[in-house]
Amino acid sequence: MKVLGLIVEYNPFHNGHLYHLNKAKEIVKPDFTIAVMSGNFCQRGEPAIIDKFSRAEIALKNGIDVVFELPVVYALQDAGGFAYGAISLLDKLKTVTDIVFGSESADKQFITEVAKTLSINSKEFDKLLKKELKKGMSFPNARKFALKEFLKKDVNFIKKIENSNDILGIEYVKSILKLNSNIKYNVIKRIGARYNELNLTNKYSSATAIRNAIKMDKEFKEFVPDSSYEILKHTFLKGKGPVFLEDMEQFILTFLRLKRREDLKKTYSFNEGLDQRFINTIKNSTTLSEFLDNVKTKRFTYSRIRRAIFHAIFNFEKEYIDFSNKLGVQYARILGFTRKGQKLLSKIKNVSKIPIISNPSLKDKILKKALSSEKFEINKCLFNWQFEKDILASNIYTMFYPKKTQRKYGVDFRKPIIIEGENERNNYRSDRKRM
Amino acid sequence: MKVLGLIVEYNPFHNGHLYHLNKAKEIVKPDFTIAVMSGNFCQRGEPAIIDKFSRAEIALKNGIDVVFELPVVYALQDAGGFAYGAISLLDKLKTVTDIVFGSESADKQFITEVAKTLSINSKEFDKLLKKELKKGMSFPNARKFALKEFLKKDVNFIKKIENSNDILGIEYVKSILKLNSNIKYNVIKRIGARYNELNLTNKYSSATAIRNAIKMDKEFKEFVPDSSYEILKHTFLKGKGPVFLEDMEQFILTFLRLKRREDLKKTYSFNEGLDQRFINTIKNSTTLSEFLDNVKTKRFTYSRIRRAIFHAIFNFEKEYIDFSNKLGVQYARILGFTRKGQKLLSKIKNVSKIPIISNPSLKDKILKKALSSEKFEINKCLFNWQFEKDILASNIYTMFYPKKTQRKYGVDFRKPIIIEGENERNNYRSDRKRM
């Protein structure tokens, strides 16, 4: 049995995502396809444009059989932490046989070579890396130049490591190596716009461009599959979106004005002087974009700064993130599945090394049972911590829905969405009513 | 030399305030009149409708010679803490000879009798108080019934202690007794509407009614002196107000969703189960009024709940509030003065037991000098703590200005407003420009 795993954000699901999904299926010819998807916050350090349940529903309608949530403590990390969280989830299910990821280069050999180089602890490489870091570069950039020198490569090589999806690809492979996983990986070439292209171009426009179009109230129908369009529109109509980082501006700035340097220092990602930069910059910022621009340096990228803001808000303690990056994901939370996916789920439940959570209200029961079984590889403290942060992230996310009455607490305790294969339309209606 | 001291909020300054001010001057016939005024947050547990500098300016234009700021750690306390902060400030200046306060009863003998009763530690009274508290009543109510029983008084007596200004009056006198202060006190009858009357009535409408009118964009010219109207309008025009508690709704709810019970428990005023009530209630509230209504009980009044929210936001640690209620105000921050008031200020500086801060940028210098002199009665830690909270409160307050570019940090480091006696109009203009 072949099970394809995809690592996604679907923020929102667009034509390029559908192309990638179908292409991946063509290559792997899987019996089932599952996705591990960011929840309500994404790796760029921003709230997702619509909630994770609606995004999961779109995925299910477009050919994914089961959608799992990538815990927020990974979804809001850099490429390395994000990839490790996602790969550890897929690996621990002990069911996924293949993953496929898109990359700008689509050069599997190159990605493998770099991943292997970075996985071997080399003193020589570390020395080169430190040298570059001392120049004040960001970590990704320093690593890029250190790699170039270490592998004695030319300029074309450098270009490849500049592409965000190649970087992610390298991290996926690194995580597979680290976990000694049996999962096979395939690389396909991304089509259409670069992921952070700001403007709509052709039918394969980037998620960033589509979000910008939505922000400016422009039509975006031609850039997303029909079901994606329908669910996005429906969600907006209910006052549950779109949610943008800018909507959180007043909260974020007020929150940061309350923080002392000591508070920040305890939080993950406030090293290399970022804590002091936050404290100094907040004094000169009346808008969020002003704040981000003023914190930005060669070393601190926008994404890193935005993620750091959420690390502070959600109180991502250093020790627990380090612990998470050692032990991996502690549970697999199901956001939704198709009737077909249900069959896979019963198989997964037999072999998975982490508990499967379909009803978060039963968390304590699930955890207790899992701890009493030898089958699972979990840590009670870390499980609770990761779970608590997921719940917290949702409770904060909903506070920024346009419609006040939708700003509900505890939406995370909804059961997963179930999509019938045959009778999608009717089921869609009845499911939406429960939201 | 007679110096009249008034304890005020002027939120905003209206006809009743002017009447009270003139009446007080008639009674005391002072050489100078000073006010100690709440800063950007008021005792009801709400942001002031406009900032403290603008409110100070209105006061100066209406006959106050010097406006001092009541530190926020007192301004946001119940009647007892509020009164103690204000009286301790006035007393420590060693210049104020008289205070006058308005009260519903205007019964000085009654107020004095009750204040004395409450000042004497009586086991019998404590027993009666505890008995009433056990019934689940709020502290003010329990005290009221305990007093009735202790003093063997009738129903009319009870009515007097229900009036908020009588209650405040009792607390002023208690503080005078506690500090063994030489300040003489006078009581005058309040005119016009009750302070929390919601609707505009006659030219002496309550501040609450005027704030409501402003909220609903109704004309309010006839209820406030011209200069008050002018400065209010001017402040609104600049996008620096009006500021309402409701403007902070999304911030407050998001902030509270992030709080754990352990965090609240460390904070002043989260006793008697209020912490647990906050944690439970936030789960069922999508709006602030819903939250307030759901936390409200016989024991917890709306004002107490609102103040508690700010205690959590500003992190009012229990120990430091207790310390503040023991040692009193640690400095006297000047918000503004008239040319006439300037003469008084130089006298105050010679005799005051606490340092006078006219330029907060010089805080460290002022504190250092004060600590090296025997003249002052201050505690370094407490001084810094009270000062830090004042600065913090302003930095949070400005975040809720309607106009984003006005949401400045560090506005507290402005110098005090100076009003010329003769040439008010011109000076007004040049002063406003500096803001």
Side-chain angles (χ1 to χ4, degrees):
Chain A
M1 188 178 78
K2 276 196 163 184
V3 178
L4 168 63
L6 298 174
I7 299 164
V8 299
E9 304 220 82
Y10 291 163
N11 183 35
F13 190 96
H14 56 56
N15 294 339
H17 291 131
L18 186 58
Y19 167 86
H20 176 267
L21 171 54
N22 290 332
K23 199 81 188 166
K25 283 183 175 178
E26 250 177 70
I27 296 170
V28 176
K29 298 187 179 56
D31 300 287
F32 298 96
T33 303
I34 70 169
V36 49
M37 187 184 83
S38 299
N40 287 328
F41 290 87
C42 293
Q43 207 252 330
R44 283 168 57 91
E46 288 186 348
I49 192 158
I50 56 169
D51 69 283
K52 58 190 180 188
F53 291 105
S54 305
R55 276 161 43 244
E57 193 174 356
I58 298 172
L60 297 173
K61 285 182 176 289
N62 282 280
I64 302 282
D65 298 313
V66 183
V67 181
F68 291 101
E69 177 177 3
L70 178 65
V72 69
V73 298
Y74 298 101
L76 278 174
Q77 278 195 60
D78 62 13
F82 178 89
Y84 181 67
I87 295 289
S88 75
L89 195 154
L90 293 175
D91 182 60
K92 288 176 184 210
L93 296 178
K94 293 299 166 204
T95 317
V96 175
T97 53
D98 297 79
I99 66 166
V100 175
F101 51 85
S103 105
E104 290 84 355
S105 72
D107 186 341
K108 189 174 171 179
Q109 200 195 323
F110 149 76
I111 288 172
T112 305
E113 186 182 352
V114 174
K116 281 190 177 157
T117 305
L118 293 172
S119 296
I120 300 158
N121 280 323
S122 152
K123 273 184 189 164
E124 197 195 331
F125 177 74
D126 281 353
K127 231 164 78 183
L128 289 169
L129 182 64
K130 266 183 197 150
K131 201 184 90 188
E132 299 296 334
L133 278 170
K134 268 194 186 152
K135 294 179 186 165
M137 263 186 263
S138 71
F139 185 80
N141 271 330
R143 200 174 60 176
K144 188 169 73 187
F145 288 104
L147 265 172
K148 184 187 169 234
E149 201 148 328
F150 186 71
L151 296 172
K152 315 263 183 269
K153 296 281 180 172
D154 65 3
V155 181
N156 285 327
F157 177 86
I158 280 280
K159 272 192 190 148
K160 285 185 190 172
I161 321 187
E162 268 175 353
N163 299 322
S164 56
N165 284 280
D166 281 317
I167 292 172
L168 263 174
I170 292 165
E171 294 298 340
Y172 294 144
V173 178
K174 271 177 64 189
S175 295
I176 287 174
L177 294 171
K178 179 173 167 185
L179 289 163
N180 206 7
S181 171
N182 291 324
I183 294 176
K184 289 192 286 289
Y185 57 96
N186 300 275
V187 189
I188 54 178
K189 198 163 177 69
R190 282 174 59 89
I191 54 153
R194 287 169 59 95
Y195 93 107
N196 53 358
E197 170 68 45
L198 296 178
N199 299 310
L200 295 169
T201 45
N202 52 32
K203 69 176 272 208
Y204 293 111
S205 285
S206 73
T208 304
I210 295 167
R211 288 196 304 274
N212 279 341
I214 294 171
K215 196 183 285 176
M216 292 183 285
D217 220 11
K218 281 189 195 160
E219 188 51 82
F220 62 99
K221 203 174 186 340
E222 58 180 307
F223 309 105
V224 300
D226 286 350
S227 57
S228 181
Y229 186 76
E230 196 186 334
I231 293 173
L232 280 159
K233 281 289 193 182
H234 185 83
T235 310
F236 300 163
L237 208 69
K238 286 172 72 179
K240 292 175 64 188
V243 178
F244 295 108
L245 181 67
E246 290 70 24
D247 299 325
M248 304 182 70
E249 175 177 63
Q250 195 176 35
F251 172 73
I252 289 172
L253 294 178
T254 311
F255 176 86
L256 290 177
R257 284 188 181 190
L258 288 171
K259 285 281 151 187
R260 294 165 311 169
R261 192 175 171 197
E262 307 91 89
D263 305 326
L264 292 182
K265 273 186 94 74
K266 286 177 212 150
T267 309
Y268 180 73
S269 86
F270 287 95
N271 45 22
E272 303 180 275
L274 188 57
D275 47 337
Q276 192 58 57
R277 261 195 100 68
F278 263 53
I279 296 297
N280 293 344
T281 307
I282 197 68
K283 296 181 183 169
N284 302 309
S285 308
T286 60
T287 65
L288 185 58
S289 64
E290 228 183 314
F291 176 76
L292 296 173
D293 288 343
N294 291 336
V295 173
K296 174 83 180 67
T297 59
K298 252 203 299 182
R299 171 156 295 173
F300 305 121
T301 63
Y302 281 111
S303 288
R304 172 155 178 205
I305 299 164
R306 284 190 300 252
R307 284 193 301 263
I309 291 173
F310 289 104
H311 297 169
I313 293 174
F314 298 143
N315 191 20
F316 279 8
E317 298 103 325
K318 273 195 174 77
E319 322 84 80
Y320 274 101
I321 292 285
D322 291 343
F323 204 20
S324 292
N325 290 350
K326 218 168 170 177
L327 299 193
V329 167
Q330 298 294 298
Y331 52 84
R333 161 85 195 270
I334 304 169
L335 292 176
F337 53 86
T338 58
R339 284 289 169 217
K340 184 186 161 200
Q342 197 167 22
K343 288 173 203 140
L344 177 67
L345 275 173
S346 38
K347 287 181 195 172
I348 289 178
K349 278 177 188 163
N350 286 329
V351 292
S352 174
K353 294 276 176 203
I354 48 175
I356 308 300
I357 302 182
S358 51
N359 184 352
S361 317
L362 304 176
K363 187 267 284 182
D364 285 334
K365 220 175 133 183
I366 293 166
L367 176 59
K368 200 180 160 192
K369 205 177 148 193
L371 288 169
S372 70
S373 157
E374 289 193 355
K375 195 182 106 186
F376 296 106
E377 291 169 0
I378 55 167
N379 174 285
K380 188 181 169 182
C381 257
L382 192 59
F383 181 112
N384 278 323
W385 187 77
Q386 291 183 354
F387 184 84
E388 190 192 288
K389 296 303 175 192
D390 277 344
I391 305 301
L392 184 65
S394 286
N395 286 332
I396 298 312
Y397 183 81
T398 59
M399 270 308 303
F400 296 91
Y401 281 161
K403 193 168 173 183
K404 277 191 191 182
T405 50
Q406 290 287 12
R407 295 176 180 174
K408 287 179 194 140
Y409 189 97
V411 284
D412 243 315
F413 294 97
R414 283 183 59 211
K415 289 182 190 155
I417 292 157
I418 303 157
I419 300 277
E420 301 285 343
E422 313 283 277
N423 201 2
E424 276 186 20
R425 175 66 39 177
N426 287 340
N427 195 67
Y428 167 63
R429 288 228 174 94
S430 63
D431 272 325
R432 304 294 296 186
K433 261 183 216 146
R434 286 194 292 126
M435 294 183 78
Chain B
M1 187 179 77
K2 275 197 165 183
V3 178
L4 169 62
L6 298 174
I7 299 163
V8 300
E9 300 215 287
Y10 292 163
N11 183 34
F13 191 97
H14 57 57
N15 294 339
H17 292 132
L18 185 59
Y19 167 87
H20 176 265
L21 170 54
N22 289 333
K23 200 81 190 170
K25 283 181 174 176
E26 251 177 68
I27 296 170
V28 176
K29 296 186 180 56
D31 301 285
F32 298 95
T33 303
I34 70 168
V36 49
M37 185 185 82
S38 298
N40 286 329
F41 291 88
C42 293
Q43 207 252 330
R44 283 169 54 92
E46 287 186 348
I49 193 158
I50 56 169
D51 70 285
K52 59 192 182 188
F53 291 106
S54 304
R55 277 161 43 242
E57 193 173 357
I58 296 171
L60 297 174
K61 285 181 175 289
N62 283 280
I64 302 281
D65 297 313
V66 183
V67 181
F68 291 100
E69 178 178 2
L70 179 64
V72 69
V73 299
Y74 298 101
L76 278 174
Q77 277 195 61
D78 63 13
F82 178 90
Y84 181 66
I87 295 289
S88 75
L89 195 153
L90 293 174
D91 182 61
K92 289 177 184 208
L93 296 178
K94 294 297 163 207
T95 318
V96 175
T97 54
D98 297 79
I99 66 167
V100 176
F101 51 84
S103 101
E104 289 84 354
S105 72
D107 185 340
K108 187 175 171 177
Q109 198 193 326
F110 149 75
I111 288 172
T112 305
E113 186 182 354
V114 174
K116 280 191 176 156
T117 306
L118 294 172
S119 296
I120 301 158
N121 280 324
S122 151
K123 273 185 191 165
E124 197 196 332
F125 178 74
D126 282 352
K127 229 164 77 182
L128 289 169
L129 182 64
K130 266 182 200 150
K131 200 184 87 185
E132 298 296 334
L133 277 172
K134 269 195 187 153
K135 295 179 186 165
M137 263 186 262
S138 71
F139 185 80
N141 270 330
R143 199 174 61 176
K144 188 169 73 186
F145 288 104
L147 266 171
K148 183 187 170 234
E149 201 150 328
F150 186 73
L151 297 172
K152 313 262 182 275
K153 297 282 180 172
D154 64 4
V155 182
N156 286 329
F157 177 85
I158 279 280
K159 273 194 190 146
K160 284 184 190 171
I161 320 187
E162 267 174 356
N163 298 323
S164 55
N165 284 281
D166 280 318
I167 293 172
L168 263 174
I170 292 165
E171 295 298 337
Y172 294 144
V173 178
K174 270 178 63 188
S175 295
I176 287 172
L177 294 170
K178 179 174 167 183
L179 289 163
N180 207 7
S181 171
N182 292 324
I183 295 175
K184 289 193 287 289
Y185 58 95
N186 301 275
V187 189
I188 53 176
K189 200 165 176 65
R190 283 175 59 89
I191 54 151
R194 288 169 58 94
Y195 92 108
N196 54 359
E197 170 67 47
L198 297 177
N199 299 309
L200 295 169
T201 45
N202 53 33
K203 68 176 273 210
Y204 293 110
S205 285
S206 73
T208 304
I210 293 166
R211 287 197 303 275
N212 279 341
I214 293 171
K215 194 183 288 178
M216 293 184 284
D217 219 13
K218 281 188 195 159
E219 188 50 84
F220 62 99
K221 202 173 187 341
E222 58 180 307
F223 309 106
V224 300
D226 286 350
S227 57
S228 181
Y229 186 76
E230 197 186 332
I231 293 173
L232 279 160
K233 281 289 193 183
H234 185 82
T235 309
F236 299 163
L237 208 68
K238 286 172 72 180
K240 291 174 66 188
V243 178
F244 296 107
L245 181 66
E246 290 69 24
D247 300 325
M248 304 182 72
E249 175 176 63
Q250 196 176 35
F251 172 74
I252 289 172
L253 294 178
T254 311
F255 177 85
L256 290 177
R257 284 189 181 188
L258 288 171
K259 284 282 153 190
R260 292 166 312 166
R261 193 174 172 197
E262 307 92 89
D263 304 327
L264 293 181
K265 274 188 95 74
K266 286 177 212 149
T267 309
Y268 180 73
S269 87
F270 287 94
N271 46 21
E272 302 180 277
L274 188 58
D275 47 337
Q276 193 58 57
R277 261 195 100 68
F278 263 52
I279 296 295
N280 293 343
T281 307
I282 196 69
K283 296 183 184 170
N284 302 308
S285 308
T286 60
T287 65
L288 184 59
S289 65
E290 228 182 314
F291 176 76
L292 297 172
D293 288 345
N294 291 335
V295 174
K296 175 83 178 67
T297 59
K298 252 202 301 182
R299 171 156 297 171
F300 305 121
T301 64
Y302 282 110
S303 289
R304 173 154 177 208
I305 299 165
R306 284 190 300 252
R307 285 193 300 264
I309 291 173
F310 289 104
H311 297 169
I313 293 173
F314 299 143
N315 191 19
F316 279 9
E317 297 102 325
K318 276 195 172 76
E319 322 82 81
Y320 275 101
I321 292 286
D322 291 344
F323 204 21
S324 291
N325 291 349
K326 218 168 170 176
L327 299 194
V329 166
Q330 298 295 298
Y331 52 85
R333 162 84 196 270
I334 304 169
L335 293 176
F337 52 88
T338 59
R339 284 288 170 219
K340 183 184 162 203
Q342 196 166 23
K343 288 173 202 138
L344 177 66
L345 275 174
S346 39
K347 287 183 194 169
I348 288 178
K349 279 177 188 162
N350 287 329
V351 292
S352 174
K353 294 275 177 203
I354 47 177
I356 309 299
I357 302 182
S358 52
N359 184 352
S361 318
L362 304 176
K363 187 266 284 182
D364 286 334
K365 219 173 134 183
I366 293 166
L367 176 59
K368 201 179 159 190
K369 205 176 148 194
L371 288 170
S372 71
S373 156
E374 290 192 358
K375 192 182 108 185
F376 295 107
E377 291 168 2
I378 54 166
N379 173 286
K380 186 182 170 184
C381 257
L382 192 60
F383 181 111
N384 277 323
W385 186 78
Q386 292 182 354
F387 184 84
E388 190 191 290
K389 296 302 176 193
D390 278 344
I391 305 300
L392 185 65
S394 287
N395 286 332
I396 298 310
Y397 183 80
T398 59
M399 268 309 302
F400 296 92
Y401 282 163
K403 192 168 172 182
K404 278 191 191 182
T405 50
Q406 290 286 13
R407 295 177 181 174
K408 287 179 195 141
Y409 189 100
V411 285
D412 243 314
F413 294 96
R414 285 183 56 209
K415 287 179 190 160
I417 292 157
I418 303 157
I419 300 276
E420 302 282 345
E422 313 282 278
N423 202 1
E424 275 188 18
R425 174 66 40 176
N426 288 340
N427 196 68
Y428 167 62
R429 288 229 175 93
S430 63
D431 271 327
R432 304 293 297 185
K433 261 184 219 146
R434 286 194 292 125
M435 293 180 80

